[in-house]
Amino acid sequence: RGGRGEEYYGASLEPFDRHRSMSDSMAITTHMRHSESMDDYSNYRKRRKRVRIGRHLNLVPRLEKRQQNVERDTASELLHHEYSLIKYPHSQFSVPNERLFRVDKDNLLIMWRRTEGSHFTLSSSLRLDQILEIREGQWTKMFERFPYEEVEEQSFSLMFEESRKGGKYVGLSSLDLICDHPKHYKRWFDGLTSLIPGPQNGLMSTSSRALDPTIVWLKWLWNTKVTDHEMPEREALAFIRKLNPTATRATLSALLHEAHIHQFKVTFSHGDALHWDGFVLLYNLMFGETGRLYRIFREYALQYPSLGLTPKELKAFLIQECYWHPTECTKGKIDELIRSHNYHHRAYRKYAAKNKPLDFKIASGFLCFAGVLSFLRSSNNSVIDPVCAQLHQDMSQPLSHYFINSSHNTYLDTDQLKGSSSCDAYVRSLMQGCRCVEIDCWDESIPFYGEPVIYHGYTITTKLPFSEVIQTITDYSFRTSIYPIIISIENHCSPENQKKMAKEFKNSMGDILCRENEVERNGLERLPSPEDLQGKIILKGSYQLPNKTPLKKAKIKSTVLQKAKRQLSGEGKRQGSESGSDGKPSDANGETSPTCTPGNGEPGQRKIEENGEPNHKTEGKNGSGGLLVPTSVENQDLFRTASFAPTRPYNRDSVKKLKRNVKRMTSQLQLEEDDQELEFNAPSDDLRDLIIYCRSVSIKPWSWEEQSCTPISCMFSFGEPTANKHCKESSEEMLACTERQLVRTYPKGTRFDSSNYDPMVMWSCGIQMVSLNYQTPDVWMHINQGFFRQNGGCGYVLKPRVMRRPPDEGSMPFSPYMTEPHPDINPVQLEIELISGQRLCPMKKKTSSITVDIQTFGIPEDRLQMDPVASHNYPFWPQWSEAQHIFKKTILMPELCMVYFRVEVVLSSLGPGKPQLYAQNCIPLNSMRRGLKFLPLRTPGGQLIHESGLFVYIRKMEQRSRKTLLIHQEKVITDDKDSSVNMEGSLNPPVFKRSPHIRYRNRPGEATTTVDSITAATNSNSFDTDISRVNRHFSSPPLMLKRHNALEEEEEEEEEG
């Protein structure tokens, strides 16, 4: 009803005639086979010969692989039926319930519903590409809350990322399920395992990765809304209203009716119901044939403007706009692009043909406008260079020549004071490619676990058993990367517990624990490489040099936190409220409060005694008990007047007051100038023998001369303030230190909310391990995630060449504060133009404005922020004017430059207020490809948003440095005597005959670059191609093709000027 079948387009045979002609052809083929038959012996010999040839060509593994694929398909197809499973809730106030589960027919979603009469919804579904792990058994928080040990072998959990506390933090969540039969459990586990091949950069890769991500997103919505293979009119209207809440009902109904009459299959429901092809057409009609992208499309679609691009026109589009090499644009590749990207847009081709059967038949070999958009969004036109997305860097350099993905206080899920600790935090960090995790080991105050515990000391964060954390790290260390992982140990334990720690390390890790020091044994002058340490776990811990005196271990800040915790838990009371019989302050129970009395520590310090009695337990390396406090007048008065909330049961108000008081007290403390990592308890002999390549030493007062004399197996840890000071005042010394040794930095102690700091400052000075709080999705975490997505997401990124070699006598040393191009670095001229956007707002919510921001992060000279671009109309398909929103910047250090895209929205329901971050993406400059690209956006937590993105045009040209130009000029002088050099000091670049280069015109107001013009002298075809690329950099949008004569005139005018 309301549609036409495929016979409308001129099928030559009726169904009965087609069947009859098919049977006739089969009869003719059978007669021919009988006429050419041979005896049985000849047939037998031929069969034996084919078998021998198959064995000789090793075809048996192919057959086995095909059989495995058939079994995999069968395992996944079994999940298309509904199964009754017990689902555990996310909320702690709910109880487990029975639900009906199944996987959609496209293997994209896991869906569930209450009963057979209810419908599936998008909220009651989980995408398969979101799943990080399939965890067998009952090993999650909800299973611990509601254990069901009788069916533990039939239980499993699906782990995925989820935001917490309004998007402030990100952590792992679980979908906990119990099957009603062991046979069903095996089906689900085997089927999901076959559908989820493995992790890739923190996200699961799916078979639909090469498709248009928007088509995949539409398929998710379709599978949750469709009933009887078609979508009712009510659901279709609700869908497009969610995409564009500002459109009127009449406009949406007109679009729905247009999509209904141009779809292929007939619908049986009342009204304008849609099939899949009509559903995709409805989405494409919302874009409309307007905007700059459509104008660019019409510039190339000259033969059939309304139908699409012919193969010849598509080849020109790929070369001119997408910067494809002509050798890549083969006939087979172009035919494959047309076939794959037109597959889901059959209804759109019918709509473009305007119900003309002949035009529809002709357009089958063209790429329609919807297909062009699908191509731009697909991985065929990825903004990321496929080479950079894979492991491509040299991994045989020393460890000190790599930036290492590191985390701080990895065990925490939220803030640093009262947040929870979990092993899932380690799982999430390791699955995202983190290669350096941290554990804070403390003696257990209440004998419960019988082993050391891991938590943030002097706070009320929850505690984890040491053995569980070590086992978790061992299990997940090499799931995303085979290169070594470093465990940073904060050792606050007694010698007895340190022996337990060493024993647990050996038993849990076994051979993968690094125990042999090849540097000392073989007398090497450099650290081993990541390639040499594949599959190894390296321990990092405090280490005391032979001729060094151990330092005291506490700071006044830790004392304030300990006192706050004691008062919050009810062990103390406000100072000065009551006094004991001896005149000392006492609490409600008559116990004496802690006081400061002179101790036997070093001069200038005091020892704190508990309950007025000396504490004989060894707390520091000096052998004296208690905590050590500096005796400066300011800190003494501050410590005496430190008071917190009165004792009462634990509640939210007391925690808020605790954070306020602690922040106020610690902000007034006058800490030492060198705030290196606390000097923890000296490691025992058993634990000391396991610390091989990352021996953290402390030098106080700091001396670069003394640092240069330390062995290369020693490393240094700096807090955020000290690291910023060294990077600002002693950048050359820091670069020399990080060339041969490892350095780690961590956030300052006053970041109670787990906020992060700028890692680019540390990376610019060569610091390898910049530890960040992984649970906080702020701008600095976005930069860290984008930086370590390169090199295959292995967690190791090779430093630039100028940072990993000692300065030669004749070379200029690198400085992160340079303002002019370095002789050994080729600057890059970057230009990014905003063209349009796609769904830059949340669904179901009206937005009053959308702001797009582009920034570059790197060395100080490379940092720039474009004026935010606002759009106040049509958030589903925002358009920007031509040549008005262009980001331009000359990058002096391209290898350390990150391009950050940020989209903020203002929701109409909340009124005028502060913009909220909706999506972001951070891409290394060296990984970006030129041309017309679709930039996919990510959530603040780092997950891809398949339906949202920005259409941008990227122009990126590398300028030749003076040193590179001299090398090339020497070659040309040797090969061609006609090349000339201006003896007055300015270089006249010769004509390069080997490879074409693009001329570059300096921006107005900028200093003249070393290379003013480089021309290409090649054959006519490649020269024409190069001319079009030159036009791309000279002309302003729309991007029009210029003729060769016009370009020559422009060049002559420039030379005369």
Side-chain angles (χ1 to χ4, degrees), residues 42 633 688 1015:
S42 299
V633 178
R688 180 190 178 95
T1015 58

PDB file of all heavy atoms in Angstrom, residues 42 633 688 1015:
ATOM      1  N   SER A  42      38.306 -42.188 -15.934  1.00  0.00           N
ATOM      2  CA  SER A  42      38.858 -40.855 -16.198  1.00  0.00           C
ATOM      3  C   SER A  42      38.381 -39.837 -15.175  1.00  0.00           C
ATOM      4  O   SER A  42      39.144 -38.981 -14.709  1.00  0.00           O
ATOM      5  CB  SER A  42      38.463 -40.401 -17.604  1.00  0.00           C
ATOM      6  OG  SER A  42      38.973 -41.290 -18.572  1.00  0.00           O
ATOM      7  N   VAL A 633      57.561  28.983  62.483  1.00  0.00           N
ATOM      8  CA  VAL A 633      56.545  29.644  63.305  1.00  0.00           C
ATOM      9  C   VAL A 633      55.186  29.588  62.632  1.00  0.00           C
ATOM     10  O   VAL A 633      54.160  29.321  63.270  1.00  0.00           O
ATOM     11  CB  VAL A 633      56.973  31.105  63.560  1.00  0.00           C
ATOM     12  CG1 VAL A 633      55.907  31.833  64.372  1.00  0.00           C
ATOM     13  CG2 VAL A 633      58.320  31.141  64.269  1.00  0.00           C
ATOM     14  N   ARG A 688      63.707  -4.961  47.525  1.00  0.00           N
ATOM     15  CA  ARG A 688      64.748  -4.174  46.863  1.00  0.00           C
ATOM     16  C   ARG A 688      65.325  -4.922  45.660  1.00  0.00           C
ATOM     17  O   ARG A 688      65.662  -4.316  44.636  1.00  0.00           O
ATOM     18  CB  ARG A 688      65.850  -3.866  47.879  1.00  0.00           C
ATOM     19  CG  ARG A 688      67.006  -3.052  47.348  1.00  0.00           C
ATOM     20  CD  ARG A 688      68.137  -3.018  48.366  1.00  0.00           C
ATOM     21  NE  ARG A 688      69.279  -2.283  47.881  1.00  0.00           N
ATOM     22  CZ  ARG A 688      69.516  -1.006  48.135  1.00  0.00           C
ATOM     23  NH1 ARG A 688      68.671  -0.312  48.875  1.00  0.00           N
ATOM     24  NH2 ARG A 688      70.597  -0.407  47.665  1.00  0.00           N
ATOM     25  N   THR A1015      58.932  24.896  -7.142  1.00  0.00           N
ATOM     26  CA  THR A1015      58.101  24.523  -8.281  1.00  0.00           C
ATOM     27  C   THR A1015      58.395  23.108  -8.687  1.00  0.00           C
ATOM     28  O   THR A1015      59.452  22.559  -8.382  1.00  0.00           O
ATOM     29  CB  THR A1015      58.361  25.460  -9.461  1.00  0.00           C
ATOM     30  OG1 THR A1015      59.744  25.398  -9.778  1.00  0.00           O
ATOM     31  CG2 THR A1015      57.964  26.895  -9.120  1.00  0.00           C
TER      32      THR A1015
END
